[in-house]
Amino acid sequence: MTPPTFVCLTNVPTPYRDFFFTELRRQLEELGWRLEVWFMARHDARRTCHWQAGDFDFPHKFLSGWTTRFLGHDLSFNWDVRRLLREVQPEALLIGGAWIDPTVWISARSRFAQQTIFWSESHLRSMDHTSSVARFLRRLALNRFRSFAVPGRLAREYVEKYVPSPQIYCLPNLVDPEVFRDAVRKQRAEQRNTQRRRALLIVARLSPEKGLVPFLESLQYLDPHERAKLALWIAGAGPLRAALQQRIAEFGDIEFQLLGDQPQSEMVRLYAHADGFCLPSLADPNPLSVIEALWVGLPLLLSSRAGNHPEALENGGNGFLFDPTNPRGSADAISRWLALSDDELSTFGSKSSRIARERFEPQAAIRAFLSDVLLPEQRPILTKAAGQS
């Protein structure tokens, strides 16, 4: 008997999604299901991820087709997706990617899948295009679906604005805890940070939507003694590197490191020796770096435009929320973080670790998602498998 099939159609391979798909495959196999992951393209122009075929520990294929750059997005047209859906006839089809992607439109109303779910991470303050035409097309695209997987509250509000009475499932973005929590603890035990300045780590692409230039401008509102206590580490690459370097030169009393893209091993070292994590984005659907920082156990300074701040941040408990368009507000968040004692800093970090365990534990999150999504006749098997794990 052929096992029921769960297909995930997504844009390109990325390391964090590979971890998710591996755990999803494992849990589906425990339930007697089979996972297939279909990639629309091999690379995205905005990403710097490198991979090899042996990196994937789950069944996968790259669809035939072509990709073009349009309005800041890599859009794929995969002409064989309808044929594959007809051949496989999956019991569940999870579609990730931009709503304007032609392959998403083609697959949205497939009559060959028993249920189709759109994986949506956007929120109302992360939208690239807000014209009346864009709003009309967005509504048209999203209404091709009745079911959605969203990572949190703001993404849910986005779907509910455009789709009447949608079926919504919770699927948070997830990272491998062993990479960050366990490796960072080992590095911290081997070498404690003895620097005089307090290190604030930003992990972000150097592009306008990440809000780095306005954030640097907010540093002028810090007192001189606060700037003398601050070390700002920025890990990432992108088109604004030269502009950031020019802006950094104006702050001679702050220690800056503009680090570029770093391999995972170096990122683990940076997380281990940072005293806090900051993301000043002007528009950010659901950033993974925030989840990484939680597992590391760092206090958070988060923009109110970061899509996962309601789930990741307890304002005043494990960090501080700020409006990235208000320079004085951004500076105030840094000031409050700098004013924390070492014991308070440790308490904030412990709360971040607790939030990671309670809300972003991969096995539990995927199990809960599957318990909601799988067909009713599969749920008794799921309950049994969960009790055995």
Side-chain angles (χ1 to χ4, degrees):
M1 180 178 177
T2 303
T5 303
F6 189 112
V7 169
C8 184
L9 173 64
T10 188
N11 46 8
V12 295
T14 62
Y16 68 92
R17 287 284 190 242
D18 293 349
F19 164 75
F20 167 78
F21 291 138
T22 299
E23 177 60 23
L24 181 64
R25 175 196 58 77
R26 186 190 68 79
Q27 292 201 30
L28 283 168
E29 287 179 352
E30 288 182 353
L31 304 174
W33 281 59
R34 181 174 185 272
L35 172 68
E36 291 189 13
V37 179
W38 300 350
F39 294 113
M40 302 178 198
R42 294 178 179 271
H43 300 283
D44 186 321
R46 297 174 297 172
R47 302 180 187 270
T48 57
C49 301
H50 301 286
W51 53 266
Q52 297 177 347
D55 294 340
F56 307 133
D57 193 18
F58 48 86
H60 65 279
K61 56 171 57 75
F62 290 94
L63 304 185
S64 301
W66 51 266
T67 300
T68 186
R69 191 79 174 159
F70 180 70
L71 295 177
H73 296 275
D74 280 359
L75 303 183
S76 297
F77 180 81
N78 305 101
W79 54 76
D80 57 345
V81 68
R82 286 183 58 83
R83 175 185 59 79
L84 285 169
L85 287 171
R86 183 173 62 251
E87 292 175 357
V88 175
Q89 299 196 20
E91 279 71 16
L93 172 63
L94 178 64
I95 301 177
W99 63 265
I100 57 175
D101 202 305
T103 299
V104 170
W105 283 68
I106 293 170
S107 308
R109 290 287 180 86
S110 172
R111 59 186 176 86
F112 302 112
Q114 291 189 22
Q115 63 172 328
T116 301
I117 305 164
F118 186 53
W119 196 353
S120 178
E121 296 184 9
S122 295
H123 59 88
L124 295 173
R125 303 186 77 177
S126 72
M127 297 184 295
D128 292 334
H129 310 293
T130 58
S131 68
S132 58
V133 173
R135 289 196 299 270
F136 170 79
L137 292 175
R138 183 181 291 109
R139 188 180 301 277
L140 189 64
L142 294 179
N143 275 274
R144 295 176 71 84
F145 299 90
R146 302 312 310 162
S147 298
F148 297 82
V150 302
R153 190 192 81 198
L154 297 185
R156 172 186 288 268
E157 291 173 356
Y158 167 87
V159 170
E160 290 175 339
K161 177 177 176 61
Y162 286 98
V163 181
S165 303
Q167 172 66 59
I168 295 182
Y169 305 108
C170 179
L171 183 58
N173 273 335
L174 303 167
V175 300
D176 186 351
E178 293 184 4
V179 170
F180 297 96
R181 176 194 59 201
D182 299 340
V184 165
R185 283 178 180 171
K186 182 174 183 295
Q187 291 210 20
R188 282 179 176 161
E190 292 173 350
Q191 180 182 351
R192 298 298 301 174
N193 185 3
T194 59
Q195 64 180 6
R196 180 179 62 85
R197 292 175 180 259
R198 187 165 283 184
L200 187 61
L201 174 64
I202 296 176
V203 182
R205 176 172 164 76
L206 309 185
S207 53
E209 72 275 7
K210 296 298 183 179
L212 293 167
V213 172
F215 183 75
L216 292 184
E217 292 174 353
S218 73
L219 300 179
Q220 65 184 305
Y221 296 104
L222 296 176
D223 291 337
H225 76 276
E226 291 177 322
R227 291 200 292 266
K229 292 170 57 178
L230 177 63
L232 190 60
W233 302 346
I234 304 176
L240 292 184
R241 183 179 180 89
L244 292 173
Q245 286 177 321
Q246 182 178 358
R247 196 73 180 92
I248 284 171
E250 301 175 13
F251 294 97
D253 50 356
I254 297 177
E255 178 189 306
F256 283 97
Q257 293 190 47
L258 200 54
L259 301 164
D261 277 333
Q262 297 292 327
Q264 189 174 79
S265 59
E266 179 61 16
M267 286 307 308
V268 168
R269 189 191 70 81
L270 290 170
Y271 276 120
H273 298 297
D275 300 296
F277 172 86
C278 180
L279 193 63
S281 301
L282 297 172
D284 219 330
N286 210 268
L288 258 293
S289 56
V290 173
I291 314 305
E292 294 172 351
L294 285 176
W295 278 111
V296 171
L298 287 178
L300 307 180
L301 277 65
L302 291 187
S303 160
S304 57
R305 308 289 183 88
N308 47 13
H309 79 76
E311 292 74 36
L313 182 66
E314 295 178 3
N315 197 22
N318 72 318
F320 304 105
L321 188 69
F322 62 91
D323 179 351
T325 66
N326 177 0
R328 291 186 183 275
S330 301
D332 180 65
I334 301 172
S335 297
R336 296 174 69 186
W337 169 73
L338 287 170
L340 295 174
S341 68
D342 289 344
D343 287 344
E344 289 172 327
L345 206 67
S346 178
T347 299
F348 273 48
S350 295
K351 289 182 179 178
S352 285
S353 296
R354 173 183 58 79
I355 290 171
R357 293 191 303 270
E358 292 177 354
R359 304 176 188 176
F360 299 97
E361 201 289 314
Q363 292 185 8
I366 292 173
R367 184 179 300 122
F369 172 69
L370 292 178
S371 71
D372 290 336
V373 167
L374 298 188
L375 299 177
E377 59 267 25
Q378 290 292 325
R379 288 174 186 168
I381 302 175
L382 180 69
T383 304
K384 180 180 178 181
Q388 293 173 345
S389 62

